[in-house]
Amino acid sequence: MDKNAEFYKYYMELIGIARKHIDNRNFEISLQAIASAANVAYKYNQFYTDLNLENLLIQISENVVKFSFSNTQNNVRGRKKVLFYDGFGLDRRGISIVMNKAICENGYKLIYVSPLSSKGKQPTLSNVLERYDVTWKYYENRNSYLKSISQLQDIFENEAPDFAYMYTTPYDVSGVVVFNSLRNRCFRCQIDLTDHAFWLGINAFDICNGGRQLSACIQHLYRGIPLDKMTRLDANLFVDDVQYQGLPFDDTSRFLFSGGSLYKTLGDEEHVYYRIIDYILLRHADIKYLYAGYGDDSQVKKLENKYPGRVFLIGERPDFFQIMKRCTIYINTYPMFGGLMMRYAALAGKIPITLKHNSDSDGILINQEKRQIEYDSFENLVTDIDKLLSDANYLKEREKLLEGAVVSEDCYIRNIKIMIEQHKTEFTYGVIEDVDVNKLKREFLERFSYEDIANAIVTKRNKSLWKCFPKLFFYRILISLIKRVRSKNDTV
């Protein structure tokens, strides 16, 4: 399969469908096509924005959303309202908890908005925010895009916030349509959570906040975001007292730990991440290996077969920080690193061993170059790991270098206030230099498949597109049925 040709075949057809139905004022089908195109572009990830899609969303915004509240209304009210639009609606993943807590700690009235499907499923967030002044709002996100837009419009109209955060998926057409229309009505901040990949919403913010040099490079040089619309602020880390659930082996064992979606360990032909683990397990017989996450586990299973009783794969765990504190060394994923896990490792005082992949991981930790966590080659990395695992004093000295490597809670709370009041932070990017993203793109292309196209387009929410792509819908349904049958057989 020519992956590029296959991508553009579907992508351009989706754009054509979207244009056609905007002209016919059938905005629901247009939104389905745009959402599908954006999702496919996110998985393909050979470019970072598309003005064709953004202009189509502007047209829909102008036709569908009409607000009456204004900044003048906000300015005479007194205490500021901050609306946090969370298109994910997850509980413990990401930075939603620390951001919303910081907003509340600064004395703002918080309106937290998330999908109806998340209602009652965010116990940790609810517990953290229960002592603050928070209004919880929900919108329907499983059926019509237009219905989501209408409900979000009502929330904004009724609450009339002064400041609004957009924290959402790369293909959230409903959120983008509404935020496009909020210009000059409230100040809008996009949280660039997916800074390495395609996302929608280039017109939906007044400032775009990232956390590392790669964010700045792609925002400015590849997405075309002006420098005066870019802010920088890393989140502090949320750690609660969730009960430790134990390990699938003796707690006194020395072990390597990694976590995150397993796709981050795939995409390079040599499977370098798994070569690292294999090297360590082969040379250090007392070391075990634990991975917490979901996804394609084919390479992990190979290690399980080679090292029986020493390799363990578990799902995502709420007590992962407790696991982190007990591990010997944290091994960062490769070719895609995990920035949040990297910070948690540093906070736990565990070295996040990181094989450099161009400049992707630069600037994740404060003064990162002083922490001695990155390696330019496989050989240098494994040589140092040998020493770290063989010399306890050397390991302790290296762990001391991690002190102060992550943003403190007080610093983060202070900077959230500066962002809301002054639309900037205490942190800057400095000189923005071009980063070579070609290797990253090649690895995304290596993983990209026909199934990615099918998964992006064929969803319940995009059901009106079946007439345009009957073969794709049939393929996706068939694959789903096959997986269900296999799953049932595995449990018999």
Side-chain angles (χ1 to χ4, degrees), residues 38 48 67 71 125 197 205 264 319 327 384 410 442 471 489:
Y48 297 102
F67 285 118
N71 272 331
L125 180 65
F205 57 81
K264 292 184 176 182
D319 64 335
C327 78
D384 197 39
D410 288 345
R442 285 196 300 271
K471 291 182 180 179
N489 289 339

Side-chain angles (χ1 to χ4, degrees), residues 30-40 53 145 171-173 200 456 462:
S30 290
L31 288 165
Q32 292 180 25
I34 296 169
S36 298
N39 199 347
V40 173
L53 296 181
Y145 291 106
Y171 36 85
D172 178 5
V173 291
L200 290 174
N462 299 333

Side-chain angles (χ1 to χ4, degrees), residues 301-475:
K301 286 181 176 178
K302 289 181 180 179
L303 290 174
E304 284 179 333
N305 293 332
K306 186 173 182 179
Y307 302 100
R310 296 175 62 197
V311 175
F312 303 87
L313 175 63
I314 58 176
E316 293 178 3
R317 289 263 295 261
D319 64 335
F320 77 92
F321 189 68
Q322 302 292 338
I323 297 174
M324 188 83 78
K325 290 193 295 184
R326 289 166 169 79
C327 78
T328 307
I329 292 175
Y330 182 80
I331 308 293
N332 214 339
T333 50
Y334 182 94
M336 290 191 66
F337 74 101
L340 200 57
M341 295 295 279
M342 200 169 163
R343 294 188 185 102
Y344 273 110
L347 184 65
K350 303 298 180 179
I351 305 170
I353 296 293
T354 302
L355 181 61
K356 284 183 70 67
H357 183 273
N358 298 326
S359 301
D360 299 358
S361 59
D362 288 0
I364 295 297
L365 305 181
I366 297 172
N367 297 323
Q368 185 162 305
E369 64 282 356
K370 298 179 181 179
R371 312 300 176 181
Q372 297 183 29
I373 63 167
E374 294 181 293
Y375 302 83
D376 292 321
S377 70
F378 171 89
E379 291 73 21
N380 289 341
L381 185 150
V382 295
T383 298
D384 197 39
I385 286 181
D386 277 333
K387 187 174 180 181
L388 289 166
L389 293 177
S390 304
D391 186 335
N393 290 328
Y394 178 61
L395 177 63
K396 288 181 181 178
E397 288 300 313
R398 289 283 299 281
E399 289 174 343
K400 288 180 182 178
L401 297 177
L402 297 170
E403 295 175 3
V406 295
V407 174
S408 69
E409 183 176 20
D410 288 345
C411 175
Y412 187 67
I413 291 171
R414 180 174 69 250
N415 275 276
I416 285 292
K417 184 171 184 177
I418 296 171
M419 183 187 292
I420 292 171
E421 298 292 339
Q422 302 176 38
H423 309 153
K424 61 181 183 179
T425 70
E426 296 172 344
F427 301 92
T428 62
Y429 289 114
V431 177
I432 297 176
E433 298 179 348
D434 197 1
V435 174
D436 185 0
V437 295
N438 290 318
K439 189 175 181 181
L440 183 65
K441 287 182 177 181
R442 285 196 300 271
E443 287 158 357
F444 266 91
L445 189 60
E446 179 68 24
R447 289 191 295 268
F448 187 70
S449 66
Y450 183 78
E451 190 168 353
D452 286 327
I453 297 173
N455 290 341
I457 297 174
V458 183
T459 69
K460 290 181 179 178
R461 216 170 184 193
N462 299 333
K463 56 184 177 293
S464 296
L465 297 178
W466 77 268
K467 293 181 181 178
C468 306
F469 306 102
K471 291 182 180 179
L472 203 62
F473 272 70
F474 176 77
Y475 167 83

Side-chain angles (χ1 to χ4, degrees), residues 76-88:
V76 300
R77 186 176 55 220
R79 184 186 179 205
K80 280 192 175 180
K81 282 185 177 183
V82 176
L83 186 146
F84 189 91
Y85 170 67
D86 184 349
F88 297 98

Side-chain angles (χ1 to χ4, degrees), residues 67-330:
F67 285 118
S68 60
F69 80 94
S70 67
N71 272 331
T72 303
Q73 175 184 341
N74 297 344
N75 292 338
V76 300
R77 186 176 55 220
R79 184 186 179 205
K80 280 192 175 180
K81 282 185 177 183
V82 176
L83 186 146
F84 189 91
Y85 170 67
D86 184 349
F88 297 98
L90 302 173
D91 189 30
R92 303 177 61 91
R93 294 187 64 179
I95 59 174
S96 176
I97 291 176
V98 296
M99 283 205 71
N100 283 287
K101 183 182 178 185
I103 292 167
C104 292
E105 280 288 320
N106 280 300
Y108 300 112
K109 163 70 179 179
L110 173 65
I111 302 98
Y112 175 79
V113 182
S114 67
L116 185 60
S117 57
S118 69
K119 190 173 184 179
K121 298 178 181 177
Q122 297 170 294
T124 308
L125 180 65
S126 298
N127 289 338
V128 169
L129 299 182
E130 65 180 356
R131 66 187 181 93
Y132 301 105
D133 185 7
V134 181
T135 298
W136 301 78
K137 294 288 184 178
Y138 301 94
Y139 66 95
E140 173 58 55
N141 69 316
R142 289 185 171 174
N143 295 306
S144 162
Y145 291 106
L146 285 175
K147 185 174 182 180
S148 296
I149 291 169
S150 175
Q151 292 179 351
L152 288 171
Q153 179 179 348
D154 289 344
I155 291 170
F156 274 95
E157 193 68 55
N158 293 331
E159 298 296 337
D162 304 89
F163 193 103
Y165 282 106
M166 183 167 70
Y167 174 84
T168 194
T169 63
Y171 36 85
D172 178 5
V173 291
S174 299
V176 170
V177 164
V178 172
F179 270 76
N180 281 346
S181 301
L182 288 167
R183 184 181 180 188
N184 297 326
R185 296 190 181 277
C186 70
F187 199 88
R188 307 163 298 169
C189 177
Q190 156 89 328
I191 304 301
D192 191 3
L193 196 66
T194 320
D195 60 4
H196 66 282
F198 176 94
W199 47 252
L200 290 174
I202 206 71
N203 301 301
F205 57 81
D206 298 297
I207 55 173
C208 182
N209 185 75
R212 54 178 172 151
Q213 288 298 134
L214 181 67
S215 304
C217 167
I218 294 180
Q219 284 174 11
H220 186 55
L221 301 179
Y222 294 93
R223 301 194 209 272
I225 299 174
L227 293 173
D228 61 1
K229 285 192 169 187
M230 293 165 51
T231 58
R232 181 178 189 176
L233 180 60
D234 283 332
N236 72 293
L237 300 173
F238 174 71
V239 178
D240 64 5
D241 57 355
V242 62
Q243 185 175 0
Y244 173 55
Q245 298 177 12
L247 296 171
F249 46 82
D250 188 338
D251 274 24
T252 63
S253 301
R254 295 203 303 166
F255 69 98
L256 311 173
F257 181 47
S258 294
S261 298
L262 277 163
Y263 78 85
K264 292 184 176 182
T265 65
L266 304 170
D268 58 321
E269 293 181 359
E270 297 181 353
H271 296 302
V272 172
Y273 171 81
Y274 294 98
R275 282 181 57 209
I276 293 170
I277 304 302
D278 181 59
Y279 177 98
I280 300 168
L281 294 177
L282 183 64
R283 285 160 180 78
H284 300 271
D286 67 317
I287 294 291
K288 291 181 170 58
Y289 165 64
L290 177 69
Y291 195 102
Y294 297 107
D296 182 349
D297 62 356
S298 56
Q299 295 299 316
V300 178
K301 286 181 176 178
K302 289 181 180 179
L303 290 174
E304 284 179 333
N305 293 332
K306 186 173 182 179
Y307 302 100
R310 296 175 62 197
V311 175
F312 303 87
L313 175 63
I314 58 176
E316 293 178 3
R317 289 263 295 261
D319 64 335
F320 77 92
F321 189 68
Q322 302 292 338
I323 297 174
M324 188 83 78
K325 290 193 295 184
R326 289 166 169 79
C327 78
T328 307
I329 292 175
Y330 182 80

